[in-house]
Amino acid sequence: MYVKRLAVIGAGTMGADIAYVAANAGIPVVLKDVQQEVLDRAQRHIYDLFENRVKRGRITGEQAEARRQHIQYTTENGLLSDVSLAIEAVSENLDLKKSVFRELDQVLPPLSLIASNTSALPISALASVTGRPDRVAGFHFFFPAHMMKLIEIVQGEETSRETVETLRRLAEELRKIPVLVKDSPGFIVNRVLMAAMAEVLRFQEETGVSYADIDQAVARAKIAPMGPFVLADALGLDVTLEVAETLAAHYGERFGPANQLQQLVKQGHLGIKSGHGFYAY
Ligand SMILES: NC(=O)c1ccc[n+]([C@@H]2O[C@H](COP(=O)([O-])OP(=O)(O)OC[C@H]3O[C@@H](n4cnc5c(N)ncnc54)[C@H](O)[C@@H]3O)[C@@H](O)[C@H]2O)c1
C-alpha cells in the first residue's frame, strides 16, 4: 500500500512537527486536534519551520507556500474519510489513546492504517480496541521530529508484514531511518534512555551535584548530544513522568520516577513549554 494522504491526530509538540515533516516531503496531511488554539499554535510553528528553510536557502518562498498548503487543520473528523494512514500523537495516556483508536476505527476507510507515536505504551493494547489489529503499528518519531532521523516502527502481536512494509516505505519517503522493533514497553530508545534518566536523577538527589554540571559532563563526554535535564525540559516533564511510570509498572522499581520529577509535574513545571522545569526559561 502507498500512503497518498495521511492524518496526524494531536497537534502538540510532536503532532505539529510530524505534519511538517510529511508536508515537506510532499504528502498531503490533515492535522487534527480537539483544541483550536493548539491548531493555531501548530500552524505558526509550521510556518516558522518552512521560513527557516527558505532563509537557509534550502527551498524557495513559492515551494514553502506550496508545501504549507499540503496541511489542512481541523477539529472535526470529516476530513479523515479518505486518508490512508492516521498517526496518533495525543497525550501519553492509554485510556485516551484507546478512545482515539476506537474513534479512528469508526471514521477511517476500512483498509487504512492506524499508527501510534506513543513513547512506551503497548501497541497491541491499542490494536485490540479496533477491528483492524493487523493494520495497527507504532510509528515512533523522536523529538524534535523535523531534525531527528530515527523512527521506531513497532510491530504489535497482530501487525501484518504489509503494514510494516508500508510504514517502512513511508519512513524512507520522509527521509528518515526506520528501525523495526517488537512491542515491549519503551521499545529500544526509551528503555535505554529512561534507565539512564532514572539513575541520573537518583545520583543528583544523593549528591546534590547541580543540573548544569551533570548536563555539562554528559554532553562533553559525548554520552548524549545534550544533558539529561536539558533534554527532559525539552521533551516535557509530564511526558517524561508518564513514560517513567509505564516502564516502572512493567519492569519494576529500577525505572521508578524520582521524587523531584513527580514534584515538578505536580507544581505544573513541565519544562520549556510551561516556562519552568529543572531550569527556568
Ligand atoms: N514530547 C516528546 O518529546 C515526545 C517524543 C516522542 C514521542 N512522544 C509521544 O507523542 C505523543 C504526543 O506527545 P506530545 O509531547 O506531542 O504531547 P502534547 O501534550 O504536546 O500534545 C498532545 C495533543 O493531543 C491533543 N489531544 C488530546 N486528546 C485528543 C483527541 N481526542 N483528539 C485529538 N487531539 C487530542 C491535545 O489537545 C494536545 O494538543 C505522546 O504519546 C508522547 O509520548 C513525545
Side-chain angles (χ1 to χ4, degrees), residues 8-16 18 32-35 38-39 41 74-75 77 88-93 96-97 99-100 103 116-121 140-144 190 231 234-236 238-240 242-243 273:
V8 180
I9 312 299
T13 307
M14 293 304 289
I18 294 169
K32 185 194 165 193
D33 202 285
V34 285
Q35 301 183 66
V38 173
L39 288 172
R41 195 168 59 222
T74 186
T75 55
N77 285 332
E88 169 277 310
V90 305
S91 319
E92 185 76 353
N93 173 296
L96 172 65
K97 285 187 189 287
S99 79
V100 169
E103 190 176 332
S116 176
N117 186 51
T118 178
S119 300
L121 293 168
H140 182 210
F141 290 81
F142 290 82
F143 174 83
N190 276 327
L231 177 65
L235 299 178
D238 49 343
V239 177
T240 306
E242 279 152 359
V243 175
K273 64 184 166 189

Side-chain angles (χ1 to χ4, degrees), residues 25 75 87 97 168 177 181-182 198:
T75 55
I87 302 173
K97 285 187 189 287
R168 198 197 294 273
I177 298 166
V181 288
K182 291 278 180 207

Side-chain angles (χ1 to χ4, degrees), residues 60-204:
T60 65
E62 290 73 35
Q63 282 171 322
E65 189 46 36
R67 291 179 199 185
R68 264 185 217 118
Q69 296 296 329
H70 285 318
I71 306 178
Q72 292 174 289
Y73 298 85
T74 186
T75 55
E76 309 289 335
N77 285 332
L79 295 172
L80 305 183
S81 59
D82 66 345
V83 301
S84 32
L85 163 70
I87 302 173
E88 169 277 310
V90 305
S91 319
E92 185 76 353
N93 173 296
L94 187 59
D95 289 337
L96 172 65
K97 285 187 189 287
K98 279 183 173 172
S99 79
V100 169
F101 267 65
R102 267 189 216 100
E103 190 176 332
L104 288 172
D105 195 35
Q106 298 302 314
V107 300
L108 294 180
L111 297 182
S112 299
L113 309 185
I114 313 178
S116 176
N117 186 51
T118 178
S119 300
L121 293 168
I123 294 304
S124 302
L126 299 175
S128 71
V129 302
T130 73
R132 59 182 95 190
D134 56 319
R135 294 174 183 277
V136 172
F139 199 60
H140 182 210
F141 290 81
F142 290 82
F143 174 83
H146 68 275
M147 291 172 71
M148 296 292 281
K149 285 281 176 203
L150 182 66
I151 293 182
E152 288 176 328
I153 297 177
V154 186
Q155 191 168 19
E157 279 159 26
E158 296 188 54
T159 309
S160 70
R161 185 181 289 267
E162 198 196 338
T163 298
V164 169
E165 278 318 306
T166 300
L167 292 176
R168 198 197 294 273
R169 272 198 304 275
L170 174 66
E172 282 164 1
E173 207 182 326
L174 299 177
R175 296 178 213 107
K176 301 291 184 192
I177 298 166
V179 171
L180 182 62
V181 288
K182 291 278 180 207
D183 193 10
S184 70
F187 318 125
I188 301 175
V189 174
N190 276 327
R191 183 151 169 198
V192 173
L193 178 67
M194 294 307 290
M197 188 71 90
E199 190 57 35
V200 99
L201 282 165
R202 270 196 296 269
F203 167 73
Q204 201 282 329

